[in-house]
Amino acid sequence: MDRTLPSPVRWSTFLWSLAITAGIIETSLAVAPGPAEGAAAPWLALSVRGLLYTFSALLVVWFARGHRWSRVTLVVLMTGVGLASVLVSMGLGVLSGPGVFVGLGYEGQGAALGLRGVHTLVYVAAVVVATVMAFLPASGRYFAAGEVEEGAFAPGSAGRSNAERAADHASNGRILLTTG
C-alpha cells in the first residue's frame, strides 16, 4: 500500500529543506565571526534556532508523508513568519536609510556580505516556490488521500504492522493512491 510523492510535493519537500539549510548556513555565518574575534557564542540564541530548525525539519518529514496539518503549519511558519520577517527587515533597512543588507543585520563587505545576500535570495525563492508547489492540484489530491503511513507519530499505532494500518485505512473508507 505504497504511494509515491507527486512531483510538486517532491519539489516542495526539497525546497522546504533547502530553506531550512539556508537558515542553518545563515546562523553559522552570523555566529562564526564572534568567537573568532574572542566574543562569547550566543548559546541561548543558538539553542532556540536549533530547536526551530529541528521542528521545521520534522514538519518537512510529516509534509512528505501527507499530513495535512504539516502543510498549513509549514506555510504559516516558513512563509508567514519567516518570509515576512525577512521582508520586513529588508523594508525597514531601506526606509531607515542604511540599506537592505544592514536591515537584515548584515554588516561587513566583500565575499561574506555577498554570501549572506545569496543566502537571503535562496531562502526567499525556496519558500515562495515551495509554498506555491504545496498547493498545486496534484499536491491537493495527495493530501486529500491522507497520510502515507501512520507510523510512530500516530496515536495508538505503536507496535502495529503496516498491514494492520492498511486495513484501518481501508475500513475508514480512505483510498490510497499511486500517482506519478
Coordinates of all heavy atoms in Angstrom, one line a residue, residues 78-125:
M78 N 7.0 29.1 7.9 CA 8.1 29.4 7.0 C 7.8 30.6 6.1 O 8.6 31.4 5.8 CB 8.5 28.2 6.2 CG 8.9 27.0 7.0 SD 10.6 27.0 7.4 CE 11.5 26.8 5.9
T79 N 6.5 30.6 5.6 CA 6.1 31.7 4.7 C 5.6 32.9 5.4 O 6.1 34.0 5.2 CB 5.1 31.2 3.6 OG1 5.5 30.0 3.0 CG2 4.8 32.2 2.6
G80 N 4.7 32.6 6.3 CA 4.1 33.7 7.1 C 5.1 34.4 8.0 O 5.4 35.6 7.8
V81 N 5.7 33.7 8.9 CA 6.6 34.3 9.9 C 8.0 34.5 9.3 O 8.5 35.6 9.4 CB 6.6 33.4 11.2 CG1 7.6 33.9 12.2 CG2 5.3 33.3 11.8
G82 N 8.6 33.4 8.8 CA 10.0 33.5 8.3 C 10.2 34.5 7.2 O 11.0 35.4 7.2
L83 N 9.4 34.3 6.1 CA 9.5 35.2 5.0 C 9.1 36.6 5.3 O 9.7 37.6 4.9 CB 8.7 34.7 3.8 CG 8.8 35.4 2.5 CD1 10.2 35.4 2.0 CD2 7.9 34.8 1.4
A84 N 8.0 36.8 6.1 CA 7.6 38.1 6.5 C 8.7 38.8 7.3 O 8.9 40.0 7.1 CB 6.3 38.0 7.3
S85 N 9.4 38.1 8.2 CA 10.4 38.8 9.0 C 11.6 39.2 8.1 O 12.1 40.3 8.3 CB 10.9 37.9 10.1 OG 11.6 36.8 9.6
V86 N 11.9 38.4 7.1 CA 13.0 38.8 6.2 C 12.6 40.0 5.4 O 13.3 41.0 5.3 CB 13.3 37.6 5.2 CG1 14.2 38.1 4.1 CG2 14.0 36.5 6.0
L87 N 11.4 40.0 4.8 CA 10.9 41.2 4.0 C 10.7 42.4 4.8 O 11.0 43.5 4.4 CB 9.6 40.8 3.3 CG 9.8 39.6 2.3 CD1 8.4 39.3 1.7 CD2 10.8 40.0 1.2
V88 N 10.2 42.3 6.1 CA 10.0 43.5 6.9 C 11.4 44.1 7.3 O 11.6 45.3 7.3 CB 9.2 43.1 8.2 CG1 9.3 44.2 9.3 CG2 7.8 42.9 7.8
S89 N 12.4 43.2 7.6 CA 13.7 43.7 7.9 C 14.3 44.4 6.8 O 15.0 45.4 6.9 CB 14.6 42.5 8.3 OG 14.2 41.9 9.5
M90 N 14.1 43.8 5.5 CA 14.7 44.5 4.4 C 14.0 45.8 4.2 O 14.7 46.8 3.9 CB 14.4 43.6 3.1 CG 15.3 42.4 3.1 SD 14.8 41.2 1.8 CE 15.2 42.1 0.3
G91 N 12.7 45.9 4.3 CA 12.0 47.1 4.1 C 12.4 48.2 5.1 O 12.6 49.4 4.8
L92 N 12.5 47.8 6.4 CA 13.0 48.7 7.4 C 14.4 49.3 7.1 O 14.7 50.4 7.4 CB 12.9 48.1 8.8 CG 11.5 47.8 9.3 CD1 11.6 47.0 10.7 CD2 10.7 49.1 9.5
G93 N 15.2 48.4 6.6 CA 16.6 48.8 6.3 C 16.6 49.9 5.2 O 17.3 50.9 5.2
V94 N 15.7 49.7 4.2 CA 15.6 50.6 3.1 C 15.0 51.9 3.6 O 15.5 53.0 3.3 CB 14.7 50.0 1.9 CG1 14.4 51.1 0.9 CG2 15.5 48.9 1.3
L95 N 13.9 51.9 4.4 CA 13.2 53.1 4.9 C 14.1 53.9 5.8 O 14.0 55.1 5.8 CB 11.9 52.7 5.5 CG 10.8 52.1 4.6 CD1 9.6 51.7 5.4 CD2 10.4 53.2 3.6
S96 N 14.9 53.2 6.6 CA 15.7 54.0 7.6 C 17.0 54.5 7.0 O 17.7 55.3 7.6 CB 16.0 53.1 8.8 OG 16.9 52.0 8.4
G97 N 17.3 54.1 5.7 CA 18.5 54.7 5.1 C 19.7 53.8 4.9 O 20.3 53.9 3.8
P98 N 20.0 53.0 5.8 CA 21.3 52.2 5.7 C 21.3 51.2 4.6 O 22.3 50.8 4.0 CB 21.5 51.5 7.0 CG 20.5 52.0 7.9 CD 19.5 52.8 7.2
G99 N 20.1 50.7 4.2 CA 20.0 49.8 3.1 C 19.5 48.4 3.5 O 19.3 48.1 4.6
V100 N 19.3 47.6 2.5 CA 18.7 46.3 2.6 C 19.5 45.4 3.5 O 19.0 44.8 4.4 CB 18.4 45.6 1.2 CG1 18.0 44.1 1.4 CG2 17.4 46.4 0.4
F101 N 20.8 45.3 3.2 CA 21.6 44.3 4.0 C 21.8 44.7 5.4 O 21.8 43.9 6.3 CB 23.0 44.1 3.3 CG 22.9 43.4 2.0 CD1 23.2 44.1 0.8 CD2 22.5 42.1 1.9 CE1 23.1 43.4 -0.4 CE2 22.4 41.4 0.8 CZ 22.7 42.1 -0.4
V102 N 21.9 46.0 5.7 CA 22.0 46.5 7.1 C 20.7 46.2 7.8 O 20.7 45.8 9.0 CB 22.4 47.9 7.2 CG1 22.4 48.4 8.6 CG2 23.8 48.2 6.6
G103 N 19.6 46.3 7.1 CA 18.3 46.0 7.7 C 18.2 44.5 8.1 O 17.5 44.2 9.0
L104 N 18.8 43.7 7.3 CA 18.8 42.2 7.6 C 19.9 41.9 8.7 O 20.0 40.7 9.1 CB 19.1 41.4 6.3 CG 18.0 41.4 5.3 CD1 18.5 40.8 4.0 CD2 16.8 40.6 5.9
G105 N 20.7 42.9 9.1 CA 21.7 42.6 10.1 C 23.0 42.2 9.6 O 23.9 41.7 10.3
Y106 N 23.2 42.4 8.3 CA 24.4 42.0 7.6 C 25.4 43.2 7.6 O 25.1 44.2 7.0 CB 24.2 41.6 6.2 CG 23.3 40.4 6.0 CD1 22.7 40.1 4.8 CD2 23.0 39.5 7.0 CE1 21.9 39.0 4.6 CE2 22.1 38.5 6.9 CZ 21.6 38.2 5.7 OH 20.8 37.2 5.5
E107 N 26.5 43.0 8.2 CA 27.5 44.1 8.2 C 28.7 43.5 7.5 O 28.9 42.3 7.4 CB 27.8 44.5 9.6 CG 26.6 45.2 10.3 CD 26.8 45.6 11.7 OE1 28.0 45.6 12.1 OE2 25.9 45.9 12.4
G108 N 29.6 44.4 7.2 CA 30.8 43.9 6.5 C 30.7 44.2 5.0 O 29.9 44.9 4.5
Q109 N 31.7 43.6 4.3 CA 31.7 43.8 2.9 C 32.4 42.6 2.2 O 32.8 41.6 2.9 CB 32.5 45.1 2.6 CG 33.5 45.5 3.6 CD 34.2 46.7 3.3 OE1 34.7 46.9 2.2 NE2 34.4 47.6 4.3
G110 N 32.5 42.6 0.9 CA 33.1 41.6 0.2 C 32.4 40.3 0.1 O 31.2 40.2 0.1
A111 N 33.2 39.2 0.2 CA 32.6 37.9 0.0 C 31.6 37.5 1.1 O 30.6 36.9 0.8 CB 33.8 36.8 0.0
A112 N 31.9 37.8 2.3 CA 30.9 37.5 3.4 C 29.6 38.1 3.2 O 28.5 37.5 3.3 CB 31.5 37.9 4.7
L113 N 29.6 39.4 2.8 CA 28.3 40.1 2.5 C 27.6 39.5 1.3 O 26.4 39.3 1.4 CB 28.5 41.6 2.3 CG 27.3 42.4 2.1 CD1 26.4 42.4 3.3 CD2 27.7 43.9 1.8
G114 N 28.4 39.2 0.3 CA 27.8 38.5 -0.9 C 27.2 37.2 -0.6 O 26.1 36.9 -1.1
L115 N 27.9 36.4 0.2 CA 27.4 35.1 0.6 C 26.1 35.2 1.4 O 25.2 34.4 1.2 CB 28.5 34.3 1.4 CG 28.2 32.9 1.7 CD1 28.0 32.1 0.4 CD2 29.4 32.3 2.5
R116 N 26.0 36.1 2.3 CA 24.8 36.3 3.1 C 23.7 36.8 2.2 O 22.5 36.5 2.4 CB 25.1 37.2 4.2 CG 26.0 36.6 5.2 CD 26.3 37.4 6.5 NE 25.2 37.1 7.4 CZ 25.1 37.6 8.6 NH1 26.1 38.4 9.0 NH2 24.1 37.4 9.4
G117 N 24.0 37.6 1.2 CA 23.0 38.1 0.3 C 22.4 36.9 -0.6 O 21.2 36.8 -0.8
V118 N 23.3 36.0 -1.0 CA 22.9 34.8 -1.7 C 22.0 34.0 -0.8 O 21.0 33.4 -1.3 CB 24.1 34.0 -2.3 CG1 23.7 32.7 -2.8 CG2 24.8 34.8 -3.4
H119 N 22.4 33.8 0.4 CA 21.5 33.1 1.4 C 20.1 33.6 1.4 O 19.2 32.8 1.4 CB 22.1 33.1 2.8 CG 21.1 33.0 3.8 ND1 20.6 34.2 4.4 CD2 20.4 32.0 4.4 CE1 19.6 33.8 5.3 NE2 19.5 32.5 5.3
T120 N 20.0 34.9 1.5 CA 18.7 35.5 1.6 C 17.9 35.3 0.3 O 16.7 34.9 0.4 CB 18.8 37.0 1.9 OG1 19.5 37.2 3.1 CG2 17.4 37.7 2.0
L121 N 18.5 35.4 -0.8 CA 17.8 35.2 -2.1 C 17.4 33.7 -2.2 O 16.2 33.4 -2.6 CB 18.7 35.6 -3.3 CG 18.9 37.1 -3.4 CD1 19.9 37.3 -4.5 CD2 17.6 37.8 -3.6
V122 N 18.2 32.8 -1.8 CA 17.9 31.3 -1.9 C 16.7 31.1 -0.9 O 15.8 30.4 -1.3 CB 19.1 30.5 -1.5 CG1 18.7 29.0 -1.2 CG2 20.2 30.5 -2.6
Y123 N 16.8 31.6 0.3 CA 15.7 31.4 1.3 C 14.4 31.9 0.7 O 13.4 31.2 0.7 CB 16.0 32.0 2.6 CG 14.9 31.9 3.6 CD1 14.8 30.7 4.3 CD2 13.9 32.8 3.7 CE1 13.7 30.5 5.2 CE2 12.9 32.7 4.6 CZ 12.8 31.5 5.4 OH 11.7 31.3 6.2
V124 N 14.3 33.1 0.2 CA 13.1 33.7 -0.2 C 12.6 32.9 -1.4 O 11.4 32.6 -1.5 CB 13.3 35.2 -0.6 CG1 12.1 35.8 -1.3 CG2 13.6 36.0 0.7
A125 N 13.4 32.6 -2.4 CA 12.9 31.9 -3.6 C 12.4 30.5 -3.2 O 11.4 30.1 -3.7 CB 14.1 31.8 -4.6

